[in-house]
Amino acid sequence: MPLEAVEARRLYRQVADQLRSLIDSGEYAVGSRLPTERELAEQLKVSRPTVREALIALEVEGRLRIRVGSGIYVIEPAAVAAPAPASVIEGPFELLRAREFLESAIAEQAARVATEDDVARIDASLVAMENVEHPGEASMVHDRAFHVAIAGSLGNAVLVRVVGELFDQRLNPYFAQLAHYFESPGTWRTALDEHRAVRDAIAAHDPAAAREAMRAHLARSQERFAQNFGAETAAGPASGQSRTVRSAAKPSKPKHAPKKKPAASSGARRR
């Protein structure tokens, strides 16, 4: 038998797989409410953004419904869809962190080398962004043009392509579903102010300020997408039972593992 390539599963996919398994096994019945993001992150020993990416993935699959201010509920799927290949869809927070790292360095260098023509192209994209409705396809086109224009000032076609391709990942279903909850005309105005700060630092040829402005913009984008969309005071599943999810960092135990001791004798167990 020929060897097959080994693909490391992203952490959020491991979390999604474990939650899906619990749903399929009936541990979380249709109509029940999952623990909050905070509780899941504590039980799984992962970050809340990782949990959020997993929940969004399951919502896109039609296994969960997120009700802002209420919680995350298991729903009856119209048809069980196969999970999307991890190699095809990136996690939204992974993408934003990658962009923060890369585009901050690009903005810093742009402040050193940008010409008047380069700044004019950045300005043109900003003017277009100011006169478009958001959320919408047109706003994404002009937002993309802004970031690509900054990369273009370095005169490196590879960087232009990479920045464009990373931005285009916003069109993936996970990112689109997350944006559905948190993007609005108000967040667009805030993002516009952040874009202007990047532009002004580049036009002033201030590399340190340009780097920090871009870093702050993309970090704040992550913060906007990380706002709570569940009920932090929720009591967990609607049935009132408390269920523990295994840490995503540990391998699954055998199906016939020894039964757990009563809660009263397991005070050291993490809750």
Side-chain angles (χ1 to χ4, degrees), residues 11 14-15 18 43-46 246-252:
L11 190 56
Q14 296 180 48
V15 173
Q18 188 174 160
Q43 291 183 29
L44 290 159
K45 297 181 176 62
V46 298
R246 290 190 300 271
S247 168
K250 297 180 180 178
S252 299

Side-chain angles (χ1 to χ4, degrees), residues 105-141:
I106 289 174
E108 178 181 5
Q109 183 63 10
R112 296 189 179 101
V113 303
T115 65
E116 289 184 4
D117 288 341
D118 292 326
V119 175
R121 280 188 285 272
I122 295 170
D123 285 343
S125 65
L126 275 175
V127 170
M129 290 170 70
E130 291 168 354
N131 295 283
V132 71
E133 292 185 0
H134 183 79
E137 183 178 347
S139 62
M140 290 298 95
V141 169

Side-chain angles (χ1 to χ4, degrees), residues 21-93:
S21 178
L22 289 171
I23 292 170
D24 290 342
S25 69
E27 287 293 314
Y28 291 113
V30 171
S32 66
R33 183 171 57 199
L34 266 64
T36 65
E37 284 182 285
R38 175 182 55 78
E39 292 167 337
L40 287 170
E42 289 176 352
Q43 291 183 29
L44 290 159
K45 297 181 176 62
V46 298
S47 69
R48 288 182 66 169
T50 295
V51 170
R52 173 155 299 193
E53 287 175 331
L55 295 174
I56 287 292
L58 291 173
E59 186 176 37
V60 169
E61 289 178 24
R63 311 305 299 271
L64 299 177
R65 176 168 297 154
I66 296 166
R67 297 175 183 169
V68 176
S70 175
I72 304 114
Y73 295 85
V74 178
I75 62 173
E76 184 72 53
V80 177
S87 59
V88 175
I89 299 183
E90 310 286 354
F93 290 96

